[in-house]
């Protein structure tokens, strides 16, 4: 990695999984995830999550709307910066945004990648040109195999996008999209009935954030 003295670093988030920083280097902005500062009990998970994100971004190389993988050395991941607002701030209401988001998801799935975390609005960007972007591939499906489980998870990617469309542009949902929303996958129904409350408790008490906030606790 380049010498830190040549960098202008802004801390975006620091929690039990490490630090996320905005780094300006010679006029170029990148996002850096450093897991060296992760808590000892979370370090193994943080490393696996970063490695998964690196695999996903490498497989998605060249796709507009997804960051480029710049570096991954087992401790620090760097990706390109995409200018824009997280969905909960930008609140996209233009139907074109959702048409483009559907196409972006389709490209991901054709590459054998399922995001798996699209219920979180901060993982969707409203970019400066009004188009969608996707970030945070830490729990993405990266195996490439497109069997029954892949199709089930890909459908959930789609359903979560439609849930956001229902929030910001409900009058533009098609009849088919409304039908998809009304039929969550079995594992999604089981998750809501069992594990979701525990997940929210852990997210708030340990990491200091909820799904739609996108701003974790800054741990000193």
């Amino acid at each position: 990695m380049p010498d830190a003295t040549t960098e202008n670093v802004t801390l975006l988030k620091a929690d039990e999984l490490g630090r996320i920083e905005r780094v300006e280097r010679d006029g170029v902005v990148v996002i850096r995830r450093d897991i060296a500062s992760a808590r000892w009990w979370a370090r193994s998970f943080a490393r696996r999550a970063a490695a998964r994100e690196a695999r996903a971004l490498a497989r998605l190389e060249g796709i507009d709307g997804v960051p480029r993988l710049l570096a991954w050395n087992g401790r620090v991941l760097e990706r390109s910066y995409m200018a824009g607002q997280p969905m909960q701030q930008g609140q996209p209401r233009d139907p074109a945004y959702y048409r483009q988001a559907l196409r972006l998801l389709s490209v991901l799935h054709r590459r054998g990648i399922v995001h798996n975390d699209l219920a979180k609005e901060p993982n969707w960007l409203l970019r400066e040109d009004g188009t969608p972007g996707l970030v945070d591939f830490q729990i993405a499906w990266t195996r490439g195999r497109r069997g029954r489980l892949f199709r089930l998870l890909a459908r959930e990617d789609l359903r979560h996008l439609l849930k956001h469309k229902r929030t910001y542009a409900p009058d533009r949902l098609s009849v088919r999209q409304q039908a998809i929303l009304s039929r969550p996958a079995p594992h999604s129904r089981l998750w809501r009935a069992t594990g979701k409350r525990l997940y929210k408790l852990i997210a708030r008490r340990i990491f200091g954030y909820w799904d739609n906030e996108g701003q974790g606790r800054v741990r000193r």
Side-chain angles (χ1 to χ4, degrees):
M1 297 293 167
D3 190 292
T5 60
T6 67
E7 299 175 342
N8 182 12
V9 179
T10 302
L11 177 65
L12 300 180
K13 184 167 73 171
D15 59 22
E16 281 68 14
L17 299 179
R19 297 166 60 90
I20 300 177
E21 301 165 332
R22 182 184 186 274
V23 180
E24 185 172 353
R25 185 184 301 138
D26 297 327
V28 177
V29 178
V30 304
I31 300 298
R32 179 163 65 200
R33 182 185 300 275
D34 188 346
I35 64 174
S37 61
R39 297 291 194 188
W40 65 267
W41 51 266
R43 198 162 294 150
S44 177
F45 173 79
R47 184 176 293 108
R48 290 197 301 271
R52 186 182 297 269
E53 179 162 33
R55 288 196 302 272
L57 295 182
R59 190 166 295 202
L60 297 171
E61 176 68 29
I63 295 178
D64 183 42
V66 175
R68 291 181 53 239
L69 176 65
L70 302 177
W72 165 240
N73 64 7
R75 184 183 68 85
V76 175
L77 182 148
E78 288 191 352
R79 65 165 177 83
S80 62
Y81 171 75
M82 291 196 300
Q85 294 179 297
M87 177 180 275
Q88 76 275 15
Q89 294 179 12
Q91 300 188 1
R93 303 183 188 279
D94 187 344
Y97 177 92
Y98 297 96
R99 290 195 297 269
Q100 293 161 349
L102 284 169
R103 288 196 290 269
L104 180 57
L105 274 188
S106 178
V107 173
L108 258 67
H109 296 161
R110 286 201 300 271
R111 293 276 182 105
I113 300 296
V114 177
H115 189 285
N116 277 334
D117 205 15
L118 294 185
K120 292 182 180 178
E121 293 187 19
N123 290 343
W124 287 99
L125 296 183
L126 175 62
R127 296 194 291 171
E128 291 180 335
D129 62 359
T131 61
L134 286 175
V135 296
D136 196 352
F137 288 78
Q138 291 186 91
I139 62 171
W141 171 287
T142 61
R143 300 178 189 177
R145 297 191 296 273
R146 300 179 64 182
R148 185 173 182 274
L149 179 57
F150 175 91
R151 293 191 296 273
L152 188 69
L153 296 174
R155 184 182 184 277
E156 284 301 284
D157 269 1
L158 170 61
R159 197 173 67 84
H160 286 308
L161 170 60
L162 296 180
K163 287 171 67 176
H164 299 316
K165 184 177 181 180
R166 182 175 61 191
T167 298
Y168 297 113
D171 57 322
R172 306 310 294 258
L173 285 167
S174 70
V175 173
R176 179 174 177 273
Q177 289 172 348
Q178 292 172 2
I180 292 173
L181 281 169
S182 69
R183 293 196 302 271
H187 77 279
S188 179
R189 293 196 296 268
L190 179 64
W191 166 250
R192 289 206 305 267
T194 57
K196 190 170 185 179
R197 289 184 181 180
L198 178 61
Y199 164 77
K200 285 189 171 183
L201 178 65
I202 293 172
R204 167 172 264 190
R205 296 292 177 84
I206 297 180
F207 298 107
Y209 59 82
W210 290 93
D211 277 358
N212 287 338
E213 292 175 355
Q215 179 62 51
R217 179 187 300 118
V218 175
R219 175 168 57 82
R220 304 298 181 185

